[in-house]
mmCIF file of all heavy atoms in Angstrom:
data_model
loop_
_atom_site.group_PDB
_atom_site.id
_atom_site.type_symbol
_atom_site.label_atom_id
_atom_site.label_comp_id
_atom_site.label_asym_id
_atom_site.label_seq_id
_atom_site.Cartn_x
_atom_site.Cartn_y
_atom_site.Cartn_z
ATOM 1 N N LEU A 240 4.415 -48.316 31.487
ATOM 2 C CA LEU A 240 3.925 -49.063 30.330
ATOM 3 C C LEU A 240 3.762 -50.549 30.624
ATOM 4 O O LEU A 240 3.144 -51.279 29.853
ATOM 5 C CB LEU A 240 4.886 -48.879 29.154
ATOM 6 C CG LEU A 240 4.979 -47.454 28.598
ATOM 7 C CD1 LEU A 240 6.002 -47.395 27.473
ATOM 8 C CD2 LEU A 240 3.626 -46.964 28.112
ATOM 9 N N ALA A 241 4.335 -51.008 31.764
ATOM 10 C CA ALA A 241 4.147 -52.417 32.139
ATOM 11 C C ALA A 241 2.684 -52.736 32.413
ATOM 12 O O ALA A 241 2.277 -53.897 32.368
ATOM 13 C CB ALA A 241 5.004 -52.745 33.356
ATOM 14 N N LEU A 242 1.917 -51.678 32.720
ATOM 15 C CA LEU A 242 0.506 -51.874 33.043
ATOM 16 C C LEU A 242 -0.375 -51.863 31.797
ATOM 17 O O LEU A 242 -1.582 -52.084 31.901
ATOM 18 C CB LEU A 242 0.030 -50.778 34.017
ATOM 19 C CG LEU A 242 0.830 -50.672 35.335
ATOM 20 C CD1 LEU A 242 0.322 -49.504 36.155
ATOM 21 C CD2 LEU A 242 0.720 -51.970 36.124
ATOM 22 N N THR A 243 0.231 -51.587 30.641
ATOM 23 C CA THR A 243 -0.563 -51.503 29.410
ATOM 24 C C THR A 243 -0.188 -52.630 28.458
ATOM 25 O O THR A 243 0.855 -53.271 28.589
ATOM 26 C CB THR A 243 -0.321 -50.148 28.713
ATOM 27 O OG1 THR A 243 1.014 -50.126 28.203
ATOM 28 C CG2 THR A 243 -0.509 -48.984 29.669
ATOM 29 N N ARG A 244 -1.048 -52.821 27.464
ATOM 30 C CA ARG A 244 -0.806 -53.891 26.482
ATOM 31 C C ARG A 244 0.386 -53.574 25.587
ATOM 32 O O ARG A 244 1.011 -54.477 25.040
ATOM 33 C CB ARG A 244 -2.062 -54.060 25.616
ATOM 34 C CG ARG A 244 -3.272 -54.580 26.381
ATOM 35 C CD ARG A 244 -4.526 -54.519 25.553
ATOM 36 N NE ARG A 244 -4.333 -55.230 24.305
ATOM 37 C CZ ARG A 244 -5.217 -55.220 23.300
ATOM 38 N NH1 ARG A 244 -6.326 -54.524 23.412
ATOM 39 N NH2 ARG A 244 -4.979 -55.896 22.204
ATOM 40 N N HIS A 245 0.683 -52.297 25.404
ATOM 41 C CA HIS A 245 1.765 -51.912 24.481
ATOM 42 C C HIS A 245 3.068 -51.566 25.208
ATOM 43 O O HIS A 245 3.990 -51.021 24.604
ATOM 44 C CB HIS A 245 1.326 -50.698 23.655
ATOM 45 C CG HIS A 245 0.031 -50.886 22.948
ATOM 46 N ND1 HIS A 245 -0.100 -51.738 21.871
ATOM 47 C CD2 HIS A 245 -1.205 -50.351 23.176
ATOM 48 C CE1 HIS A 245 -1.358 -51.707 21.443
ATOM 49 N NE2 HIS A 245 -2.046 -50.873 22.224
ATOM 50 N N GLY A 246 3.143 -51.868 26.482
ATOM 51 C CA GLY A 246 4.348 -51.515 27.242
ATOM 52 C C GLY A 246 5.606 -52.179 26.709
ATOM 53 O O GLY A 246 6.656 -51.547 26.588
ATOM 54 N N LYS A 247 5.538 -53.447 26.388
ATOM 55 C CA LYS A 247 6.719 -54.175 25.925
ATOM 56 C C LYS A 247 7.276 -53.589 24.633
ATOM 57 O O LYS A 247 8.489 -53.384 24.498
ATOM 58 C CB LYS A 247 6.376 -55.647 25.728
ATOM 59 C CG LYS A 247 7.554 -56.493 25.309
ATOM 60 C CD LYS A 247 7.187 -57.961 25.179
ATOM 61 C CE LYS A 247 8.389 -58.776 24.727
ATOM 62 N NZ LYS A 247 8.032 -60.218 24.598
ATOM 63 N N ALA A 248 6.374 -53.315 23.680
ATOM 64 C CA ALA A 248 6.835 -52.769 22.390
ATOM 65 C C ALA A 248 7.480 -51.403 22.573
ATOM 66 O O ALA A 248 8.505 -51.079 21.944
ATOM 67 C CB ALA A 248 5.658 -52.682 21.420
ATOM 68 N N ALA A 249 6.890 -50.566 23.445
ATOM 69 C CA ALA A 249 7.438 -49.229 23.668
ATOM 70 C C ALA A 249 8.824 -49.291 24.309
ATOM 71 O O ALA A 249 9.739 -48.539 23.943
ATOM 72 C CB ALA A 249 6.487 -48.415 24.534
ATOM 73 N N LEU A 250 8.991 -50.186 25.273
ATOM 74 C CA LEU A 250 10.293 -50.319 25.926
ATOM 75 C C LEU A 250 11.356 -50.830 24.958
ATOM 76 O O LEU A 250 12.511 -50.389 24.978
ATOM 77 C CB LEU A 250 10.170 -51.250 27.129
ATOM 78 C CG LEU A 250 9.470 -50.655 28.363
ATOM 79 C CD1 LEU A 250 9.246 -51.725 29.413
ATOM 80 C CD2 LEU A 250 10.281 -49.508 28.923
ATOM 81 N N GLU A 251 11.000 -51.766 24.096
ATOM 82 C CA GLU A 251 11.956 -52.271 23.104
ATOM 83 C C GLU A 251 12.399 -51.160 22.158
ATOM 84 O O GLU A 251 13.579 -51.073 21.796
ATOM 85 C CB GLU A 251 11.315 -53.419 22.316
ATOM 86 C CG GLU A 251 11.178 -54.706 23.110
ATOM 87 C CD GLU A 251 10.491 -55.804 22.322
ATOM 88 O OE1 GLU A 251 9.987 -55.505 21.210
ATOM 89 O OE2 GLU A 251 10.471 -56.955 22.802
ATOM 90 N N SER A 252 11.442 -50.323 21.769
ATOM 91 C CA SER A 252 11.797 -49.209 20.884
ATOM 92 C C SER A 252 12.765 -48.246 21.571
ATOM 93 O O SER A 252 13.731 -47.766 20.966
ATOM 94 C CB SER A 252 10.525 -48.471 20.462
ATOM 95 O OG SER A 252 10.844 -47.345 19.684
ATOM 96 N N LEU A 253 12.491 -47.936 22.843
ATOM 97 C CA LEU A 253 13.365 -47.024 23.582
ATOM 98 C C LEU A 253 14.763 -47.615 23.748
ATOM 99 O O LEU A 253 15.784 -46.933 23.551
ATOM 100 C CB LEU A 253 12.751 -46.722 24.946
ATOM 101 C CG LEU A 253 13.556 -45.798 25.862
ATOM 102 C CD1 LEU A 253 13.763 -44.435 25.212
ATOM 103 C CD2 LEU A 253 12.865 -45.642 27.211
ATOM 104 N N ASN A 254 14.845 -48.889 24.106
ATOM 105 C CA ASN A 254 16.158 -49.528 24.270
ATOM 106 C C ASN A 254 16.939 -49.560 22.960
ATOM 107 O O ASN A 254 18.160 -49.405 22.947
ATOM 108 C CB ASN A 254 15.981 -50.950 24.808
ATOM 109 C CG ASN A 254 15.549 -50.959 26.263
ATOM 110 O OD1 ASN A 254 15.850 -50.030 26.994
ATOM 111 N ND2 ASN A 254 14.826 -51.994 26.681
ATOM 112 N N LYS A 255 16.236 -49.767 21.863
ATOM 113 C CA LYS A 255 16.902 -49.763 20.569
ATOM 114 C C LYS A 255 17.511 -48.396 20.277
ATOM 115 O O LYS A 255 18.640 -48.287 19.788
ATOM 116 C CB LYS A 255 15.908 -50.137 19.472
ATOM 117 C CG LYS A 255 16.508 -50.121 18.072
ATOM 118 C CD LYS A 255 15.456 -50.480 17.026
ATOM 119 C CE LYS A 255 16.075 -50.425 15.620
ATOM 120 N NZ LYS A 255 15.064 -50.725 14.582
ATOM 121 N N GLN A 256 16.747 -47.320 20.608
ATOM 122 C CA GLN A 256 17.264 -45.973 20.387
ATOM 123 C C GLN A 256 18.500 -45.707 21.237
ATOM 124 O O GLN A 256 19.469 -45.092 20.786
ATOM 125 C CB GLN A 256 16.173 -44.940 20.716
ATOM 126 C CG GLN A 256 16.584 -43.498 20.455
ATOM 127 C CD GLN A 256 16.892 -43.242 18.996
ATOM 128 O OE1 GLN A 256 16.140 -43.643 18.119
ATOM 129 N NE2 GLN A 256 18.014 -42.600 18.739
ATOM 130 N N LEU A 257 18.475 -46.194 22.497
ATOM 131 C CA LEU A 257 19.647 -46.013 23.358
ATOM 132 C C LEU A 257 20.862 -46.752 22.810
ATOM 133 O O LEU A 257 21.991 -46.247 22.860
ATOM 134 C CB LEU A 257 19.320 -46.502 24.774
ATOM 135 C CG LEU A 257 18.345 -45.626 25.588
ATOM 136 C CD1 LEU A 257 18.000 -46.307 26.903
ATOM 137 C CD2 LEU A 257 18.942 -44.257 25.832
ATOM 138 N N ARG A 258 20.641 -47.943 22.290
ATOM 139 C CA ARG A 258 21.767 -48.700 21.711
ATOM 140 C C ARG A 258 22.313 -47.982 20.476
ATOM 141 O O ARG A 258 23.533 -47.941 20.260
ATOM 142 C CB ARG A 258 21.310 -50.115 21.347
ATOM 143 C CG ARG A 258 21.095 -51.027 22.559
ATOM 144 C CD ARG A 258 20.983 -52.486 22.132
ATOM 145 N NE ARG A 258 19.841 -52.697 21.250
ATOM 146 C CZ ARG A 258 18.632 -53.017 21.678
ATOM 147 N NH1 ARG A 258 18.391 -53.143 22.995
ATOM 148 N NH2 ARG A 258 17.644 -53.224 20.827
ATOM 149 N N GLU A 259 21.411 -47.435 19.656
ATOM 150 C CA GLU A 259 21.868 -46.711 18.468
ATOM 151 C C GLU A 259 22.651 -45.455 18.867
ATOM 152 O O GLU A 259 23.665 -45.125 18.243
ATOM 153 C CB GLU A 259 20.669 -46.325 17.594
ATOM 154 C CG GLU A 259 20.027 -47.514 16.899
ATOM 155 C CD GLU A 259 18.786 -47.121 16.119
ATOM 156 O OE1 GLU A 259 18.379 -45.942 16.201
ATOM 157 O OE2 GLU A 259 18.245 -47.988 15.421
ATOM 158 N N ASP A 260 22.170 -44.765 19.923
ATOM 159 C CA ASP A 260 22.898 -43.591 20.401
ATOM 160 C C ASP A 260 24.277 -43.976 20.908
ATOM 161 O O ASP A 260 25.275 -43.272 20.658
ATOM 162 C CB ASP A 260 22.107 -42.909 21.527
ATOM 163 C CG ASP A 260 20.851 -42.223 21.017
ATOM 164 O OD1 ASP A 260 20.735 -42.030 19.781
ATOM 165 O OD2 ASP A 260 19.998 -41.886 21.842
ATOM 166 N N ALA A 261 24.363 -45.094 21.621
ATOM 167 C CA ALA A 261 25.663 -45.551 22.133
ATOM 168 C C ALA A 261 26.610 -45.905 20.994
ATOM 169 O O ALA A 261 27.798 -45.582 21.029
ATOM 170 C CB ALA A 261 25.459 -46.752 23.060
ATOM 171 N N ARG A 262 26.049 -46.590 19.963
ATOM 172 C CA ARG A 262 26.896 -46.926 18.802
ATOM 173 C C ARG A 262 27.368 -45.656 18.100
ATOM 174 O O ARG A 262 28.509 -45.576 17.633
ATOM 175 C CB ARG A 262 26.121 -47.820 17.829
ATOM 176 C CG ARG A 262 26.021 -49.272 18.274
ATOM 177 C CD ARG A 262 25.594 -50.161 17.122
ATOM 178 N NE ARG A 262 24.265 -49.818 16.627
ATOM 179 C CZ ARG A 262 23.146 -50.357 17.076
ATOM 180 N NH1 ARG A 262 23.185 -51.250 18.054
ATOM 181 N NH2 ARG A 262 21.978 -50.005 16.569
ATOM 182 N N HIS A 263 26.477 -44.653 18.011
ATOM 183 C CA HIS A 263 26.853 -43.398 17.357
ATOM 184 C C HIS A 263 27.980 -42.701 18.117
ATOM 185 O O HIS A 263 28.955 -42.222 17.515
ATOM 186 C CB HIS A 263 25.641 -42.476 17.270
ATOM 187 C CG HIS A 263 25.964 -41.110 16.746
ATOM 188 N ND1 HIS A 263 26.315 -40.874 15.434
ATOM 189 C CD2 HIS A 263 26.023 -39.902 17.370
ATOM 190 C CE1 HIS A 263 26.561 -39.600 15.268
ATOM 191 N NE2 HIS A 263 26.389 -38.978 16.419
ATOM 192 N N LEU A 264 27.866 -42.656 19.462
ATOM 193 C CA LEU A 264 28.913 -42.015 20.251
ATOM 194 C C LEU A 264 30.242 -42.762 20.115
ATOM 195 O O LEU A 264 31.306 -42.151 20.044
ATOM 196 C CB LEU A 264 28.493 -41.948 21.720
ATOM 197 C CG LEU A 264 27.346 -40.972 22.035
ATOM 198 C CD1 LEU A 264 26.926 -41.103 23.491
ATOM 199 C CD2 LEU A 264 27.748 -39.542 21.729
ATOM 200 N N THR A 265 30.170 -44.098 20.065
ATOM 201 C CA THR A 265 31.386 -44.891 19.885
ATOM 202 C C THR A 265 32.017 -44.610 18.533
ATOM 203 O O THR A 265 33.246 -44.468 18.408
ATOM 204 C CB THR A 265 31.060 -46.389 20.006
ATOM 205 O OG1 THR A 265 30.497 -46.638 21.292
ATOM 206 C CG2 THR A 265 32.317 -47.227 19.831
ATOM 207 N N ASN A 266 31.189 -44.494 17.490
ATOM 208 C CA ASN A 266 31.702 -44.229 16.145
ATOM 209 C C ASN A 266 32.352 -42.858 16.058
ATOM 210 O O ASN A 266 33.389 -42.682 15.413
ATOM 211 C CB ASN A 266 30.555 -44.329 15.132
ATOM 212 C CG ASN A 266 31.041 -44.194 13.701
ATOM 213 O OD1 ASN A 266 31.901 -44.954 13.258
ATOM 214 N ND2 ASN A 266 30.519 -43.221 12.980
ATOM 215 N N VAL A 267 31.745 -41.848 16.738
ATOM 216 C CA VAL A 267 32.323 -40.501 16.736
ATOM 217 C C VAL A 267 33.713 -40.515 17.351
ATOM 218 O O VAL A 267 34.640 -39.838 16.871
ATOM 219 C CB VAL A 267 31.392 -39.531 17.490
ATOM 220 C CG1 VAL A 267 32.093 -38.206 17.769
ATOM 221 C CG2 VAL A 267 30.119 -39.291 16.681
ATOM 222 N N ALA A 268 33.905 -41.296 18.424
ATOM 223 C CA ALA A 268 35.206 -41.347 19.094
ATOM 224 C C ALA A 268 36.275 -41.995 18.227
ATOM 225 O O ALA A 268 37.461 -41.796 18.456
ATOM 226 C CB ALA A 268 35.078 -42.116 20.413
ATOM 227 N N LYS A 269 35.869 -42.773 17.202
ATOM 228 C CA LYS A 269 36.837 -43.471 16.360
ATOM 229 C C LYS A 269 37.070 -42.768 15.034
ATOM 230 O O LYS A 269 37.816 -43.267 14.197
ATOM 231 C CB LYS A 269 36.349 -44.891 16.086
ATOM 232 C CG LYS A 269 36.256 -45.771 17.328
ATOM 233 C CD LYS A 269 35.737 -47.156 16.989
ATOM 234 C CE LYS A 269 35.621 -48.034 18.244
ATOM 235 N NZ LYS A 269 35.099 -49.371 17.913
ATOM 236 N N ARG A 270 36.425 -41.628 14.815
ATOM 237 C CA ARG A 270 36.534 -40.931 13.543
ATOM 238 C C ARG A 270 37.196 -39.574 13.737
ATOM 239 O O ARG A 270 36.996 -38.895 14.741
ATOM 240 C CB ARG A 270 35.142 -40.723 12.926
ATOM 241 C CG ARG A 270 34.460 -42.020 12.523
ATOM 242 C CD ARG A 270 34.991 -42.534 11.214
ATOM 243 N NE ARG A 270 34.494 -43.864 10.890
ATOM 244 C CZ ARG A 270 34.774 -44.492 9.750
ATOM 245 N NH1 ARG A 270 35.544 -43.923 8.847
ATOM 246 N NH2 ARG A 270 34.291 -45.693 9.522
ATOM 247 N N ASP A 271 37.968 -39.165 12.737
ATOM 248 C CA ASP A 271 38.576 -37.844 12.733
ATOM 249 C C ASP A 271 37.495 -36.792 12.518
ATOM 250 O O ASP A 271 36.697 -36.878 11.581
ATOM 251 C CB ASP A 271 39.634 -37.767 11.616
ATOM 252 C CG ASP A 271 40.215 -36.376 11.512
ATOM 253 O OD1 ASP A 271 40.762 -35.877 12.505
ATOM 254 O OD2 ASP A 271 40.112 -35.784 10.434
ATOM 255 N N ALA A 272 37.464 -35.781 13.398
ATOM 256 C CA ALA A 272 36.377 -34.805 13.364
ATOM 257 C C ALA A 272 36.374 -33.992 12.073
ATOM 258 O O ALA A 272 35.316 -33.590 11.578
ATOM 259 C CB ALA A 272 36.491 -33.869 14.568
ATOM 260 N N LEU A 273 37.545 -33.723 11.476
ATOM 261 C CA LEU A 273 37.608 -32.881 10.277
ATOM 262 C C LEU A 273 37.239 -33.648 9.016
ATOM 263 O O LEU A 273 36.452 -33.174 8.200
ATOM 264 C CB LEU A 273 39.023 -32.291 10.140
ATOM 265 C CG LEU A 273 39.288 -31.448 8.898
ATOM 266 C CD1 LEU A 273 38.369 -30.213 8.894
ATOM 267 C CD2 LEU A 273 40.748 -31.017 8.840
ATOM 268 N N THR A 274 37.797 -34.849 8.842
ATOM 269 C CA THR A 274 37.645 -35.569 7.571
ATOM 270 C C THR A 274 36.606 -36.681 7.622
ATOM 271 O O THR A 274 36.130 -37.127 6.580
ATOM 272 C CB THR A 274 38.998 -36.182 7.162
ATOM 273 O OG1 THR A 274 39.400 -37.126 8.164
ATOM 274 C CG2 THR A 274 40.063 -35.097 7.033
ATOM 275 N N GLY A 275 36.280 -37.157 8.812
ATOM 276 C CA GLY A 275 35.340 -38.258 8.930
ATOM 277 C C GLY A 275 35.953 -39.628 8.733
ATOM 278 O O GLY A 275 35.271 -40.636 8.870
ATOM 279 N N VAL A 276 37.255 -39.693 8.415
ATOM 280 C CA VAL A 276 37.900 -41.004 8.247
ATOM 281 C C VAL A 276 38.353 -41.508 9.617
ATOM 282 O O VAL A 276 38.285 -40.800 10.623
ATOM 283 C CB VAL A 276 39.100 -40.915 7.280
ATOM 284 C CG1 VAL A 276 38.656 -40.357 5.943
ATOM 285 C CG2 VAL A 276 40.219 -40.054 7.864
ATOM 286 N N LEU A 277 38.825 -42.752 9.666
ATOM 287 C CA LEU A 277 39.295 -43.315 10.923
ATOM 288 C C LEU A 277 40.428 -42.484 11.516
ATOM 289 O O LEU A 277 41.258 -41.933 10.772
ATOM 290 C CB LEU A 277 39.801 -44.751 10.709
ATOM 291 C CG LEU A 277 38.754 -45.830 10.382
ATOM 292 C CD1 LEU A 277 39.455 -47.127 10.038
ATOM 293 C CD2 LEU A 277 37.780 -46.028 11.525
ATOM 294 N N ASN A 278 40.456 -42.361 12.853
ATOM 295 C CA ASN A 278 41.632 -41.820 13.510
ATOM 296 C C ASN A 278 42.481 -42.990 14.019
ATOM 297 O O ASN A 278 42.211 -44.145 13.701
ATOM 298 C CB ASN A 278 41.227 -40.870 14.650
ATOM 299 C CG ASN A 278 40.317 -41.533 15.674
ATOM 300 O OD1 ASN A 278 40.318 -42.757 15.814
ATOM 301 N ND2 ASN A 278 39.538 -40.734 16.380
ATOM 302 N N ARG A 279 43.525 -42.682 14.785
ATOM 303 C CA ARG A 279 44.408 -43.765 15.269
ATOM 304 C C ARG A 279 43.645 -44.783 16.111
ATOM 305 O O ARG A 279 43.863 -45.984 15.994
ATOM 306 C CB ARG A 279 45.554 -43.173 16.099
ATOM 307 C CG ARG A 279 46.608 -42.450 15.273
ATOM 308 C CD ARG A 279 47.880 -42.318 16.069
ATOM 309 N NE ARG A 279 48.867 -41.467 15.403
ATOM 310 C CZ ARG A 279 50.145 -41.414 15.726
ATOM 311 N NH1 ARG A 279 50.607 -42.173 16.695
ATOM 312 N NH2 ARG A 279 50.976 -40.615 15.093
ATOM 313 N N HIS A 280 42.733 -44.286 16.974
ATOM 314 C CA HIS A 280 41.975 -45.215 17.822
ATOM 315 C C HIS A 280 41.089 -46.118 16.961
ATOM 316 O O HIS A 280 40.982 -47.319 17.208
ATOM 317 C CB HIS A 280 41.128 -44.426 18.821
ATOM 318 C CG HIS A 280 41.940 -43.610 19.777
ATOM 319 N ND1 HIS A 280 42.781 -44.165 20.711
ATOM 320 C CD2 HIS A 280 42.056 -42.268 19.932
ATOM 321 C CE1 HIS A 280 43.362 -43.220 21.402
ATOM 322 N NE2 HIS A 280 42.949 -42.046 20.954
ATOM 323 N N GLY A 281 40.436 -45.512 15.956
ATOM 324 C CA GLY A 281 39.584 -46.318 15.092
ATOM 325 C C GLY A 281 40.381 -47.350 14.317
ATOM 326 O O GLY A 281 39.954 -48.504 14.161
ATOM 327 N N LEU A 282 41.566 -46.961 13.817
ATOM 328 C CA LEU A 282 42.411 -47.908 13.078
ATOM 329 C C LEU A 282 42.867 -49.040 13.993
ATOM 330 O O LEU A 282 42.875 -50.209 13.598
ATOM 331 C CB LEU A 282 43.620 -47.168 12.503
ATOM 332 C CG LEU A 282 44.618 -48.023 11.724
ATOM 333 C CD1 LEU A 282 43.962 -48.641 10.492
ATOM 334 C CD2 LEU A 282 45.837 -47.199 11.326
ATOM 335 N N ARG A 283 43.231 -48.682 15.237
ATOM 336 C CA ARG A 283 43.668 -49.709 16.186
ATOM 337 C C ARG A 283 42.566 -50.736 16.415
ATOM 338 O O ARG A 283 42.811 -51.947 16.433
ATOM 339 C CB ARG A 283 44.054 -49.040 17.500
ATOM 340 C CG ARG A 283 44.491 -50.002 18.611
ATOM 341 C CD ARG A 283 44.431 -49.320 19.950
ATOM 342 N NE ARG A 283 43.066 -48.882 20.249
ATOM 343 C CZ ARG A 283 42.766 -47.988 21.181
ATOM 344 N NH1 ARG A 283 43.712 -47.436 21.900
ATOM 345 N NH2 ARG A 283 41.504 -47.646 21.390
ATOM 346 N N ASP A 284 41.325 -50.254 16.592
ATOM 347 C CA ASP A 284 40.220 -51.175 16.840
ATOM 348 C C ASP A 284 39.941 -52.071 15.632
ATOM 349 O O ASP A 284 39.651 -53.265 15.778
ATOM 350 C CB ASP A 284 38.959 -50.385 17.200
ATOM 351 C CG ASP A 284 39.056 -49.755 18.573
ATOM 352 O OD1 ASP A 284 40.012 -50.086 19.308
ATOM 353 O OD2 ASP A 284 38.191 -48.933 18.914
ATOM 354 N N GLU A 285 40.021 -51.496 14.412
ATOM 355 C CA GLU A 285 39.794 -52.298 13.208
ATOM 356 C C GLU A 285 40.857 -53.378 13.068
ATOM 357 O O GLU A 285 40.567 -54.529 12.703
ATOM 358 C CB GLU A 285 39.771 -51.395 11.974
ATOM 359 C CG GLU A 285 38.582 -50.450 11.892
ATOM 360 C CD GLU A 285 37.265 -51.192 11.784
ATOM 361 O OE1 GLU A 285 37.237 -52.278 11.178
ATOM 362 O OE2 GLU A 285 36.264 -50.706 12.328
ATOM 363 N N LEU A 286 42.116 -53.030 13.343
ATOM 364 C CA LEU A 286 43.196 -54.024 13.259
ATOM 365 C C LEU A 286 43.031 -55.092 14.342
ATOM 366 O O LEU A 286 43.316 -56.269 14.107
ATOM 367 C CB LEU A 286 44.552 -53.327 13.395
ATOM 368 C CG LEU A 286 44.949 -52.422 12.224
ATOM 369 C CD1 LEU A 286 46.242 -51.679 12.539
ATOM 370 C CD2 LEU A 286 45.088 -53.213 10.926
ATOM 371 N N ALA A 287 42.573 -54.669 15.528
ATOM 372 C CA ALA A 287 42.345 -55.647 16.591
ATOM 373 C C ALA A 287 41.244 -56.623 16.203
ATOM 374 O O ALA A 287 41.330 -57.828 16.468
ATOM 375 C CB ALA A 287 41.983 -54.913 17.891
ATOM 376 N N ARG A 288 40.183 -56.115 15.544
ATOM 377 C CA ARG A 288 39.116 -57.003 15.092
ATOM 378 C C ARG A 288 39.628 -57.995 14.056
ATOM 379 O O ARG A 288 39.255 -59.168 14.052
ATOM 380 C CB ARG A 288 37.952 -56.178 14.522
ATOM 381 C CG ARG A 288 36.840 -55.945 15.538
ATOM 382 C CD ARG A 288 35.586 -55.445 14.852
ATOM 383 N NE ARG A 288 35.755 -54.112 14.349
ATOM 384 C CZ ARG A 288 35.535 -53.017 15.083
ATOM 385 N NH1 ARG A 288 35.150 -53.124 16.330
ATOM 386 N NH2 ARG A 288 35.708 -51.818 14.564
#
Side-chain angles (χ1 to χ4, degrees):
L240 294 178
L242 303 176
T243 69
R244 294 171 55 188
H245 306 289
K247 183 178 179 180
L250 286 172
E251 287 178 352
S252 176
L253 179 60
N254 288 333
K255 178 181 179 182
Q256 183 62 46
L257 289 174
R258 287 194 298 270
E259 289 176 355
D260 289 345
R262 283 196 297 269
H263 174 70
L264 290 174
T265 301
N266 185 57
V267 168
K269 296 179 181 179
R270 294 281 172 176
D271 176 58
L273 177 62
T274 62
V276 303
L277 291 173
N278 56 24
R279 287 199 188 195
H280 297 295
L282 179 62
R283 178 198 61 197
D284 289 350
E285 292 297 327
L286 291 174
R288 263 194 291 273

